[in-house]
Amino acid sequence: MEYFSVNAERFLSDLHSLRGFGKCGNGVQRRAFSEADIAARDWLAGRMSAAGLKTQIDPVGNVFGLTDGASLLLGSHSDTQPEGGWLDGALGVIAALEVARASAEQDGPPISVVSFQDEEGKFGALTGSSIWSGKLSLQEADKIISADGARFADERAKLGDRISGFVEPARFTGFLEMHIEQGPVLDEAQEAIGVVTSIVGLRQLQITVEGQQNHAGTTPMASRRDAFMAAAHFAVLLEDRFANVVTPRTVWTIGHVRVEPNAPSIVPGRAIFTLQWRDPDFDRLERIEKVIVETLRDAATETGCTFRSERLRKDLVPMPMDTRLEKACAEAAEKVAPGRWRRMPSGALHDASNVSALMPVGMLFVPSINGISHSFEEDTAEEDLVTGLNVLAEAAMRLSRPA
Amino acid sequence: MEYFSVNAERFLSDLHSLRGFGKCGNGVQRRAFSEADIAARDWLAGRMSAAGLKTQIDPVGNVFGLTDGASLLLGSHSDTQPEGGWLDGALGVIAALEVARASAEQDGPPISVVSFQDEEGKFGALTGSSIWSGKLSLQEADKIISADGARFADERAKLGDRISGFVEPARFTGFLEMHIEQGPVLDEAQEAIGVVTSIVGLRQLQITVEGQQNHAGTTPMASRRDAFMAAAHFAVLLEDRFANVVTPRTVWTIGHVRVEPNAPSIVPGRAIFTLQWRDPDFDRLERIEKVIVETLRDAATETGCTFRSERLRKDLVPMPMDTRLEKACAEAAEKVAPGRWRRMPSGALHDASNVSALMPVGMLFVPSINGISHSFEEDTAEEDLVTGLNVLAEAAMRLSRPA
């Protein structure tokens, strides 16, 4: 085994340097293609060069630090939400940098680094890795207009002569991404590491309840078909029925709700809401949908309203991690933090989901204090950051052993 | 008894003439102080004069047709909703005109007529009768700005030299208002007349549910405090508990609902909704509120969210009709439409509610086809309109008998 050891102090120092780009209170504003984002990518390219890696910025802003020849790829993304936390993807990028640097310094195995662009979805979701993985063509992407009116083609043109070609994926033997959990599971269990088993699948329906709009004073209760009350009944009934099909890893959410005409003295004639569910298991996503369909039918019978469901967003299938990479992560976790780690699915999407189309992928989580992310309050204990770094390094070493 | 008989043909003809002002399809657009509304008031004043009544338009646009000396007052309002039905208040005004005219022609008892202004609330609710009854001062009213930016003072100035002083309420011995039901009760029962026992009281709370906003992918169900689900549980629980306290005359409505941040992938952190309830009985309004307060407390315990309630609109107390006027209406209904009438509360507000501060009031309803009102589709069978006219005339005669 080729052994090397990482430098925790240097890792934390780089992590705080990156935080300086777009810093705002305890958080960061580093939206993809903002001045702060591009400056951070330039800084990152400089740190990669200093670590002996060959830097390459591809046409969409993904920054690579490459070894010569074949290597493992480590990384995540360095762009943030409009009001983002300081760790999020930045942690995985800087941990990757330190592991690659330490390995290069100590004649360890070849390790390359990446920071993907626009994971946070100014132009959709996971834009940089979507294009690199071939899921989204550059031509299509160029036409995308962001919520604030920017065209992707114009935004990426800001990169100017930094840009060279796309990196050939075949040069990488696998991809490891470390990320904050963004949920409360590890923090509540006081565990240090999550070894991701899969990125959950996601389905979403928009449900329209049609009742009868009426005067709230003159329409007797028995004559009403109240769309809001029908939606409330559906939600409570669904929760009850889900008890038989969900696991502790299933989540479901009614997040967007609109009532029409939405006036205190008018019986609601229409209610429109989203119903989203996520699960690591494809069959369970399917079984949950069957329960939803049955419950829609029964709620219609019970309430006298009609329920219509539409699929306005594409299903995402669950993406299992590669067995070998997951095993390396689990062994590394047990070595560095014995008994203080668990296997768990990722409830959020990550670049690893796209990269899995190109090569075997694995993921590690560190705890999020109180489960908070996408917020200036997002944080992780320094000790846990360093544990994450050591587990990532250990996993990379294990994956670089000759088979 | 002083007997006279009304002319159904002339009544229907006048009703259709009034419909011509602001006619739009089967409905009418005759918002208070619009050109159509003022033209209709001028026409109405002309019809009153032709019937031998002395017309007087007061400073806010209420049009009176007066007999000499003391009289009963009959009427309603002739303004409409922005997209109103052709009957609504117009029916009560034209029925009053015909009864007063027939009585005058046939040496019947003295009967005066009124069309109140802005019952439909361009400037609040029941504006004309509110000012006449002293509930709202002219000075306060003049400052009110409508949703479309018009000032009440400017609008009533359009009346120009039509205006004279306010009519002295003491000259009237009582007020009878006929109106369409605006609900489905009479239509469903195939009855011709409703004798109103009281105008229901109304209370309204705005309820704010505070949960915890969270990522819909990474937050396990067991860790959530979902404000929308908490609101749905409250609504269903409340419906269940109301079974023990409401009567078929109680109505309650959650009509306005807002969820925050209202995004498919975010667990709702806050839900804000109105809860309105109406009942003819003051004690029951109170008992219902006690159930609501208990249910808010229990829903908070059950869901882990906090529930806060605020009173953003003034309570309206139930307004019973005068016993003598209600009795005269009931006797008249039984004479004209034996067995085809019922006593019932009014779930909607009416000018009679304000006028009851000045004199004894009574109200009659005719059926609304399918319970529809405030809509171009609003209608009533012609036969029922004429029955209403006859009952109103009969009630007026009975009230004019010497005691």
Side-chain angles (χ1 to χ4, degrees):
Chain A
M1 172 177 180
E2 307 170 82
Y3 188 80
F4 63 91
S5 65
V6 290
N7 182 334
E9 211 167 303
R10 188 169 59 177
F11 155 69
L12 291 170
S13 163
D14 277 349
L15 197 53
H16 282 280
S17 296
L18 179 50
R19 185 185 204 168
F21 295 93
K23 190 173 195 305
C24 185
N26 290 320
V28 168
Q29 298 188 312
R30 201 164 59 229
R31 202 83 176 124
F33 301 110
S34 63
E35 272 186 45
D37 171 63
I38 293 175
R41 286 176 191 276
D42 285 340
W43 170 83
L44 194 61
R47 298 301 282 165
M48 288 169 170
S49 292
L53 300 167
K54 186 173 152 275
T55 65
Q56 184 169 339
I57 301 187
D58 78 10
V60 298
N62 300 319
V63 180
F64 288 83
L66 302 168
T67 60
D68 292 330
S71 72
L72 194 61
L73 179 66
L74 272 50
S76 186
H77 65 95
S78 56
D79 65 296
T80 73
Q81 286 279 323
E83 299 191 349
W86 75 289
L87 294 167
D88 206 301
L91 170 65
V93 172
I94 299 300
L97 171 66
E98 175 54 28
V99 172
R101 180 165 54 196
S103 188
E105 286 168 351
Q106 298 163 52
D107 292 325
I111 294 171
S112 297
V113 181
V114 65
S115 168
F116 288 111
Q117 178 58 305
D118 196 27
E119 195 270 352
E120 298 292 4
K122 181 175 162 85
F123 293 96
L126 319 184
T127 318
S129 61
S130 291
I131 295 167
W132 188 51
S133 68
K135 196 175 150 188
L136 174 67
S137 76
L138 190 54
Q139 207 182 356
E140 281 175 274
D142 273 344
K143 296 178 208 157
I144 301 176
I145 314 263
S146 68
D148 56 3
R151 240 167 47 99
F152 185 72
D154 298 334
E155 291 290 280
R156 69 184 188 87
K158 291 182 184 170
L159 298 169
D161 61 10
R162 292 173 183 86
I163 289 179
S164 57
F166 284 103
V167 172
E168 173 54 52
R171 63 186 295 149
F172 304 116
T173 57
F175 175 60
L176 272 187
E177 178 171 12
M178 183 160 86
H179 204 280
I180 56 167
E181 180 198 333
Q182 302 183 278
V185 175
L186 295 173
D187 188 49
E188 281 175 6
Q190 296 197 283
E191 292 172 345
I193 294 290
V195 173
V196 174
T197 51
S198 72
I199 297 174
V200 300
L202 180 156
R203 297 190 186 186
Q204 187 173 308
L205 294 174
Q206 178 174 293
I207 296 175
T208 302
V209 189
E210 299 275 1
Q212 168 92 52
Q213 180 178 325
N214 256 319
H215 191 297
T218 59
T219 315
M221 300 311 285
S223 307
R224 294 187 181 194
R225 288 186 295 121
D226 180 325
F228 172 73
M229 286 305 295
H233 274 280
F234 170 78
V236 170
L237 187 59
L238 192 69
E239 182 175 55
D240 188 49
R241 293 193 175 172
F242 273 170
N244 301 318
V245 57
V246 299
T247 75
R249 283 163 182 189
T250 314
V251 291
W252 63 278
T253 307
I254 294 174
H256 185 273
V257 181
R258 198 169 87 232
V259 167
E260 289 177 5
N262 217 24
S265 292
I266 305 182
V267 180
R270 186 181 286 140
I272 301 165
F273 60 90
T274 55
L275 174 56
Q276 183 189 92
W277 64 107
R278 308 190 193 202
D279 196 278
D281 183 63
F282 183 88
D283 289 341
R284 190 168 300 109
L285 288 171
E286 195 72 17
R287 286 205 298 282
I288 289 169
E289 183 153 355
K290 282 207 180 105
V291 172
I292 292 168
V293 170
E294 287 165 16
T295 307
L296 288 169
R297 201 186 51 216
D298 295 346
T301 308
E302 189 196 322
T303 64
C305 295
T306 63
F307 285 73
R308 186 174 77 243
S309 70
E310 289 165 281
R311 210 168 210 93
L312 299 184
R313 108 166 238 179
K314 252 190 186 167
D315 291 353
L316 297 174
V317 296
M319 191 61 67
M321 298 295 101
D322 177 78
T323 315
R324 191 176 65 97
L325 270 63
E326 184 185 323
K327 184 163 172 278
C329 289
E331 289 169 353
E334 182 58 22
K335 184 177 173 193
V336 175
R340 297 202 302 121
W341 63 279
R342 69 167 64 197
R343 284 193 163 85
M344 63 189 293
S346 169
L349 287 178
H350 292 288
D351 288 312
S353 195
N354 282 330
V355 178
S356 69
L358 305 172
M359 64 192 81
V361 300
M363 278 199 80
L364 288 170
F365 281 163
V366 299
S368 296
I369 294 174
N370 296 322
I372 295 168
S373 74
H374 291 178
S375 158
F376 286 172
E377 294 158 67
E378 172 194 293
D379 210 356
T380 298
E382 197 165 275
E383 190 193 336
D384 289 335
L385 297 175
V386 173
T387 300
L389 172 70
N390 283 311
V391 174
L392 184 68
E394 180 68 30
M397 279 185 267
R398 285 170 187 266
L399 288 168
S400 305
R401 280 182 196 164
Chain B
M1 172 176 180
E2 307 171 83
Y3 188 81
F4 64 91
S5 63
V6 289
N7 182 333
E9 213 167 301
R10 187 169 60 176
F11 154 71
L12 292 170
S13 163
D14 277 348
L15 198 53
H16 282 280
S17 296
L18 179 50
R19 186 184 203 169
F21 295 92
K23 189 172 194 308
C24 185
N26 291 321
V28 168
Q29 300 188 311
R30 201 164 60 227
R31 201 83 176 124
F33 302 111
S34 63
E35 271 185 46
D37 171 62
I38 293 175
R41 284 175 193 277
D42 285 339
W43 170 83
L44 194 60
R47 297 302 281 166
M48 287 168 171
S49 292
L53 300 168
K54 188 173 150 273
T55 65
Q56 184 170 339
I57 300 187
D58 78 10
V60 299
N62 299 320
V63 180
F64 287 83
L66 302 169
T67 60
D68 292 329
S71 73
L72 194 61
L73 179 66
L74 270 52
S76 185
H77 64 96
S78 56
D79 65 296
T80 73
Q81 286 279 323
E83 298 191 350
W86 73 290
L87 294 168
D88 205 301
L91 170 64
V93 172
I94 299 301
L97 171 66
E98 175 54 26
V99 173
R101 181 166 50 198
S103 189
E105 287 168 351
Q106 300 163 50
D107 292 325
I111 295 172
S112 298
V113 181
V114 64
S115 168
F116 289 110
Q117 177 59 305
D118 197 27
E119 195 269 353
E120 298 293 4
K122 182 176 162 86
F123 293 95
L126 319 184
T127 316
S129 61
S130 291
I131 295 168
W132 189 50
S133 68
K135 196 175 150 188
L136 174 66
S137 77
L138 191 54
Q139 207 183 355
E140 281 174 275
D142 273 344
K143 295 179 208 154
I144 301 175
I145 313 263
S146 69
D148 56 4
R151 239 167 47 101
F152 185 72
D154 298 334
E155 291 290 281
R156 71 185 186 86
K158 290 181 185 171
L159 298 169
D161 60 9
R162 291 174 183 84
I163 289 180
S164 55
F166 283 105
V167 172
E168 174 54 51
R171 63 186 296 149
F172 304 116
T173 56
F175 175 62
L176 273 186
E177 179 170 10
M178 184 160 87
H179 203 279
I180 57 167
E181 180 199 333
Q182 302 183 279
V185 174
L186 295 173
D187 188 49
E188 282 175 5
Q190 299 195 282
E191 292 171 345
I193 293 289
V195 172
V196 175
T197 51
S198 72
I199 297 175
V200 300
L202 181 156
R203 297 189 185 186
Q204 188 173 309
L205 294 173
Q206 178 174 292
I207 296 175
T208 303
V209 188
E210 298 276 0
Q212 168 92 54
Q213 180 177 326
N214 257 319
H215 191 297
T218 59
T219 315
M221 299 311 285
S223 307
R224 294 187 179 192
R225 288 185 294 121
D226 180 323
F228 171 73
M229 285 305 295
H233 274 280
F234 169 78
V236 170
L237 187 58
L238 191 69
E239 183 175 55
D240 188 49
R241 292 194 176 171
F242 273 170
N244 301 317
V245 58
V246 300
T247 76
R249 284 165 181 186
T250 314
V251 291
W252 63 278
T253 307
I254 293 174
H256 185 273
V257 181
R258 197 168 89 230
V259 167
E260 291 177 5
N262 217 24
S265 291
I266 305 182
V267 179
R270 185 181 286 140
I272 301 166
F273 59 90
T274 55
L275 174 56
Q276 182 189 93
W277 65 106
R278 308 191 193 202
D279 196 277
D281 182 63
F282 183 87
D283 289 341
R284 190 168 300 106
L285 287 171
E286 194 72 18
R287 286 204 299 282
I288 288 169
E289 183 154 355
K290 283 208 179 104
V291 172
I292 292 168
V293 169
E294 287 164 14
T295 308
L296 288 169
R297 201 186 50 216
D298 295 345
T301 308
E302 189 195 323
T303 63
C305 296
T306 63
F307 286 73
R308 187 173 76 243
S309 71
E310 290 167 281
R311 209 168 212 93
L312 299 184
R313 110 165 236 179
K314 252 191 186 167
D315 290 353
L316 296 174
V317 296
M319 190 63 67
M321 298 295 100
D322 177 77
T323 315
R324 190 175 66 98
L325 270 64
E326 184 186 322
K327 184 164 172 279
C329 288
E331 288 169 353
E334 182 57 22
K335 182 175 175 193
V336 175
R340 295 202 303 122
W341 64 279
R342 71 167 63 198
R343 285 194 162 84
M344 63 189 295
S346 168
L349 286 178
H350 292 289
D351 289 312
S353 196
N354 282 330
V355 178
S356 69
L358 303 173
M359 64 193 79
V361 301
M363 278 198 81
L364 288 169
F365 281 163
V366 299
S368 295
I369 294 174
N370 296 322
I372 296 168
S373 74
H374 290 178
S375 158
F376 286 172
E377 294 158 67
E378 172 194 294
D379 210 356
T380 299
E382 197 165 275
E383 189 193 336
D384 289 334
L385 297 175
V386 173
T387 301
L389 171 70
N390 283 311
V391 174
L392 183 68
E394 181 67 30
M397 278 185 268
R398 284 170 186 266
L399 288 169
S400 306
R401 281 182 193 165

